[in-house]
Amino acid sequence: MEVLSVPTKSSLGNLLRATTILPINDLKGVKCSTYAEGEQQLRCKLAALYRVVDLCGWTHGIYNHISVRVDTSDQPQFLLNPFGLMYHEITASSLVNVNLNGDIVDQGTSMFGVNKAGFTLHSAIHEARSDIKCVIHLHTPAATAVSAMKCGLLPLSQESMLLGNISYHEYHGIFVDENEKEILAKNLGPTNKIIILHNHGVAVCGETIEEAFHLTFNFMAACEAQVRSTSVGLKNIVLPSNDAQAQAYNVGNKGAVSIDSSGFGWKCGELEFEAIMRAMDSVGYRTGYDYKLLPIARQEK
């Protein structure tokens, strides 16, 4: 008798994902002109980021959330995923615009609202830190495992050394209590961009969407390395010197610099993110990304 295997969580997205790619940039019509300045591009970039996270295998069904701040003349607002859509279903037009009071400013094109815990977490950070543009909250198995370790994230890989100082927040249950927002903001502090949520996962922040993804990519790699390394026992792990850690951080966060640089001032994560967007556009995702530099084939002499 044939036995059907049960799909793992990591394969669930691939199992359910439609074979036809749903375009990311689906903004059209008169409504687009009502968006605040720059919001159309932010919607495309954020929706594209949701798809990248999905392709990386970091999703958790309809849960977890990524936000991007939309500054207006009235008060800060941020875009968040509609609670009910899978990450591969999210498009630029479907994102929900919500203000810091929890009022829906723009429902988007779906009928879904926003996750209560997601709003509480993201509003806490956006309200406390005006320098933060993007917040990525995930709890992959590796990130959750590290979040439960008493030692915290160790500087045992180059990826972990690129992250800078890490903040930590004690688990108080599902994040729906308004009183916890002040505690989380205090624990994050005025400058740190990553806060590990004990027994829960992580919230990674960035001054741009590109920086937030750059830090998230390295954080996930660092967690995978730590989970595998700690199986040999902490006493058998070699940690680099403080000077080496500082050097890695300073070099790794200046933005991409090549020997034959053509003068483009790449900010942290920009070059890497553009490469991912090109790869997605080449297979039909239609990201709507505003490229800083497109490759031009070198002419043969």
Side-chain angles (χ1 to χ4, degrees):
M1 186 176 79
E2 183 180 3
V3 178
L4 297 178
S5 60
V6 178
T8 63
K9 186 170 69 173
S10 61
S11 67
L12 185 60
N14 291 328
L15 178 69
L16 298 179
R17 190 177 297 111
T19 55
T20 301
I21 297 173
L22 187 64
I24 292 169
N25 182 10
D26 62 345
L27 298 175
K28 56 186 178 180
V30 178
K31 181 171 174 20
C32 293
S33 62
T34 66
Y35 290 138
E37 184 179 359
E39 185 174 336
Q40 288 191 47
Q41 182 61 29
L42 282 178
R43 283 178 170 272
C44 289
K45 288 172 69 173
L46 179 57
L49 179 56
Y50 273 102
R51 304 296 188 93
V52 174
V53 168
D54 176 61
L55 292 169
C56 287
W58 299 335
T59 58
H60 200 78
I62 64 172
Y63 290 91
N64 293 338
H65 10 82
I66 310 171
S67 68
V68 64
R69 184 186 182 103
V70 180
D71 289 314
T72 67
S73 57
D74 299 324
Q75 63 171 313
Q77 303 164 2
F78 58 93
L79 300 172
L80 200 62
N81 52 314
F83 184 42
L85 292 185
M86 300 282 281
Y87 277 28
H88 73 274
E89 297 179 289
I90 294 174
T91 67
S93 71
S94 67
L95 293 164
V96 181
N97 190 329
V98 60
N99 64 26
L100 294 179
N101 295 325
D103 303 317
I104 302 296
V105 178
D106 188 326
Q107 175 68 48
T109 53
S110 83
M111 297 301 292
F112 296 104
V114 296
N115 178 265
K116 170 63 175 175
F119 167 77
T120 307
L121 173 65
H122 289 260
S123 63
I125 296 175
H126 286 299
E127 185 172 9
R129 293 277 299 275
S130 60
D131 61 313
I132 296 303
K133 190 81 170 182
C134 180
V135 181
I136 303 173
H137 169 56
L138 302 171
H139 37 82
T140 64
T144 304
V146 171
S147 77
M149 294 181 182
K150 291 182 179 179
C151 62
L153 184 67
L154 299 172
L156 57 80
S157 65
Q158 181 166 281
E159 287 79 10
S160 64
M161 288 178 267
L162 298 177
L163 303 174
N165 294 326
I166 306 291
S167 298
Y168 293 86
H169 179 71
E170 182 182 354
Y171 186 70
H172 296 270
I174 295 178
F175 200 75
V176 294
D177 187 353
E178 289 287 323
N179 296 323
E180 193 178 347
K181 292 171 63 174
E182 184 177 349
I183 301 173
L184 182 133
K186 181 179 179 181
N187 288 338
L188 176 60
T191 58
N192 288 2
K193 292 180 178 176
I194 297 177
I195 182 165
I196 289 178
L197 311 171
H198 282 308
N199 314 102
H200 186 188
V202 67
V204 182
C205 308
E207 295 180 23
T208 63
I209 288 174
E210 291 88 343
E211 181 187 37
F213 179 73
H214 166 78
L215 293 174
T216 300
F217 185 87
N218 285 292
F219 179 84
M220 293 303 173
C223 287
E224 291 282 355
Q226 180 162 323
V227 168
R228 298 186 187 193
S229 300
T230 50
S231 63
V232 303
L234 293 179
K235 65 180 181 180
N236 292 316
I237 295 176
V238 175
L239 297 180
S241 67
N242 290 336
D243 288 343
Q245 293 177 42
Q247 191 271 359
Y249 174 78
N250 290 333
V251 173
N253 287 276
K254 287 182 178 179
V257 178
S258 60
I259 295 176
D260 59 345
S261 174
S262 56
F264 285 87
W266 296 104
K267 295 181 180 178
C268 184
E270 283 186 339
L271 185 62
E272 299 90 334
F273 200 78
E274 284 212 1
I276 295 172
M277 293 300 101
R278 286 198 310 272
M280 294 180 72
D281 278 333
S282 70
V283 294
Y285 277 91
R286 281 172 43 192
T287 65
Y289 190 77
D290 185 14
Y291 291 97
K292 187 173 182 179
L293 178 65
L294 286 170
I296 301 174
R298 187 184 298 274
Q299 297 294 323
E300 295 292 338
K301 293 184 179 180

